[in-house]
Amino acid sequence: MGASIGCNVHRCKLSFHFSCGFASGALLDLCCGRGGDLQKWWDSGVRYVLGIDLAELEVEEARRRYAREREKRSRWGQPVMEAEFFPYAHLGEREMEWDHAFDVVTCMFAIHYFFVQERAVKTFLRNAAAALKPGGIFLATFPDGKRILLLSEG
């Protein structure tokens, strides 16, 4: 059943980006982890991704994955998607300033970590909102705690 849930999330992410017309847009991936969504963003036509994560090692892996994917797609003659990745240990602690605004801000399977304190989640959401262009979209996925409990109880 878990694989089914993952496939549905993947289809949802791709169809969302295709249907909302962000093919030439910029995407901010908060809590980007190791860059697991890079191919999805590339396949949906996103032109620029800025990935930010709390963990330096995760960011290093995201950079490696991007470099490999870029090399592979360049050989195939596919359009280039630019991407940058940076560690930032204060996502839910400090207000952030952005150099430019994004069409889409995402947080995939990590937003629930900010609910440890009301201040943390409010700061995180303010940062996400401040990064969006007017009319931009915030897209987040998070686990359903009740469903996880039901599945774990078998």
Side-chain angles (χ1 to χ4, degrees):
M1 184 163 276
S4 167
I5 292 169
C7 291
N8 290 337
V9 169
H10 174 72
R11 272 194 304 274
C12 177
K13 288 178 195 175
L14 285 178
S15 65
F16 169 80
H17 286 283
F18 283 125
S19 67
C20 291
F22 290 111
S24 62
L27 183 140
L28 172 62
D29 193 355
L30 296 171
C31 304
C32 67
R34 301 178 333 168
D37 287 318
L38 277 171
Q39 290 183 351
K40 293 172 194 78
W41 306 146
W42 214 310
D43 291 343
S44 62
V46 173
R47 296 289 180 227
Y48 173 74
V49 173
L50 174 59
I52 297 177
D53 198 87
L54 300 167
E56 175 83 39
L57 291 175
E58 301 291 295
V59 168
E60 288 174 17
E61 178 60 22
R63 288 175 181 150
R64 278 192 291 277
R65 287 180 177 190
Y66 169 70
R68 276 195 313 263
E69 190 69 16
R70 182 181 170 118
E71 172 65 27
K72 179 175 74 174
R73 289 180 185 248
S74 293
R75 282 190 308 238
W76 295 346
Q78 293 184 352
V80 172
M81 177 184 80
E82 297 298 327
E84 300 176 279
F85 303 92
F86 298 100
Y88 185 73
H90 308 287
L91 279 176
E93 298 172 7
R94 298 181 186 160
E95 301 286 325
M96 299 175 75
E97 294 184 22
W98 305 102
D99 291 339
H100 64 279
F102 295 86
D103 299 291
V104 179
V105 175
T106 67
C107 183
M108 299 299 159
F109 296 103
I111 194 169
H112 57 283
Y113 294 119
F114 295 97
F115 282 85
V116 294
Q117 295 179 345
E118 184 176 349
R119 180 178 172 265
V121 74
K122 284 183 176 181
T123 300
F124 178 82
L125 292 172
R126 273 194 302 274
N127 285 332
L132 282 170
K133 288 180 179 177
I137 304 283
F138 175 60
L139 177 64
T141 57
F142 47 93
D144 178 339
K146 289 180 183 177
R147 181 145 173 95
I148 290 171
L149 282 175
L150 285 172
L151 292 172
S152 69
E153 292 170 355

